Amino acid sequence: MHTTKVIGIDDFEFKINDVKCSFEELLPGFHQYDRIGIVVREPAGSAGASALLMAAVTRFYDFYRQDLTDEEGGLRIYPDYFIFHVGKQHLDHYWMDIWPPHKEVIVEDDPEQILEAINDRGITRLIVEDIKPVHATFLQETISSAQQRIVSAIAYSPSGRVHFGDVSIASCPAAERFVFDSFNRSKKLFQQTAAQLKQKRENLFVNGRVIETYRRIPLTDALYMLTRSNGPGFTTSRYLSLL
């Protein structure tokens, strides 16, 4: 629970269409039982959604903050937020309070398999990379499950800035430190150095703060942005052969 004593929700600034807003206006009806899922396709790509992730982690702890303790028998809890790594693991998110490690989920590069993993973990807020939607192959029951449960979908960019973004989040120095700690912890996962990744983050600074942009999207678009592959892959093809 690295963030609980050093970051508060007021350390972030949220805007929708350049108008200041609250975290709850960005994710209406947000509560402690929400489950966030971020789909990641490239090394350290989730850094581009780190402001949103860290703000959500912070808001989650607000529901429990007065009861949190490391003492024996006390409340020690992490949010049920999951990173879906397509193909292989792309970053270690321990320092961003994605813990235990089973919440770093490696999934086959196949739309049906990615969505099944999202459904299996009961994701209610879905964050996907800003890519061109593809006509993907899904089982209808998998689509229906997602549609009945997911209430928000947001597009992010690994660069930190999406095209035609309608949402911006200004991060804070403490959150950025956890991002860089994640880079350092993940050295074996990618060829880029922490210094190179830090340089990319510095391109996001405006008036001394990192600002990331996002775009709110319909769930239907998000489902077709899970991967650039339209599938079906090996596992999904096996499913289809049984029908």
Side-chain angles (χ1 to χ4, degrees), residues 2 19 28 30 48 74 82-83 103 109 113 115-116 146 148 154 159-160 164 170-171 175 182 195 205 214 227 233:
H2 312 295
V19 177
F30 184 85
F82 298 82
I83 309 296
K103 294 175 182 175
D109 189 6
Q113 297 308 306
L115 188 55
E116 285 181 17
Q148 294 300 309
I154 294 177
S159 72
F164 308 110
S171 191
S182 297
F205 274 87
Y214 303 82
T227 172

Side-chain angles (χ1 to χ4, degrees), residues 207-240:
N207 296 325
R209 301 183 73 176
V210 164
I211 296 181
E212 296 172 357
T213 63
Y214 303 82
R215 189 173 68 257
R216 295 171 297 170
I217 57 176
L219 176 60
T220 301
D221 288 356
L223 298 183
Y224 290 101
M225 294 164 68
L226 294 176
T227 172
R228 290 186 173 90
S229 169
N230 59 7
F234 175 80
T235 304
T236 303
S237 294
R238 181 168 55 85
Y239 291 175
L240 295 174

Side-chain angles (χ1 to χ4, degrees), residues 92-187:
D92 184 325
H93 296 81
Y94 166 79
W95 282 109
M96 289 189 270
D97 276 347
I98 301 298
W99 185 261
H102 72 91
K103 294 175 182 175
E104 307 264 15
V105 184
I106 300 175
V107 292
E108 181 183 341
D109 189 6
D110 171 272
E112 169 69 20
Q113 297 308 306
I114 297 170
L115 188 55
E116 285 181 17
I118 289 167
N119 286 348
D120 288 348
R121 287 149 184 90
I123 298 304
T124 58
R125 314 281 181 166
L126 180 60
I127 304 169
V128 300
E129 186 179 339
D130 182 25
I131 62 175
K132 183 179 179 180
V134 298
H135 183 69
T137 301
F138 294 101
L139 298 180
Q140 183 56 50
E141 48 267 43
T142 309
I143 288 276
S144 297
S145 176
Q147 290 174 332
Q148 294 300 309
R149 188 189 62 259
I150 298 174
V151 295
S152 298
I154 294 177
Y156 79 97
S157 169
S159 72
R161 300 283 172 82
V162 300
H163 296 294
F164 308 110
D166 63 339
V167 171
S168 68
I169 303 177
S171 191
C172 63
E176 280 298 294
R177 285 197 298 273
F178 290 125
V179 174
F180 294 137
D181 287 341
S182 297
F183 292 162
N184 288 323
R185 184 179 171 92
S186 307
K187 291 177 181 177

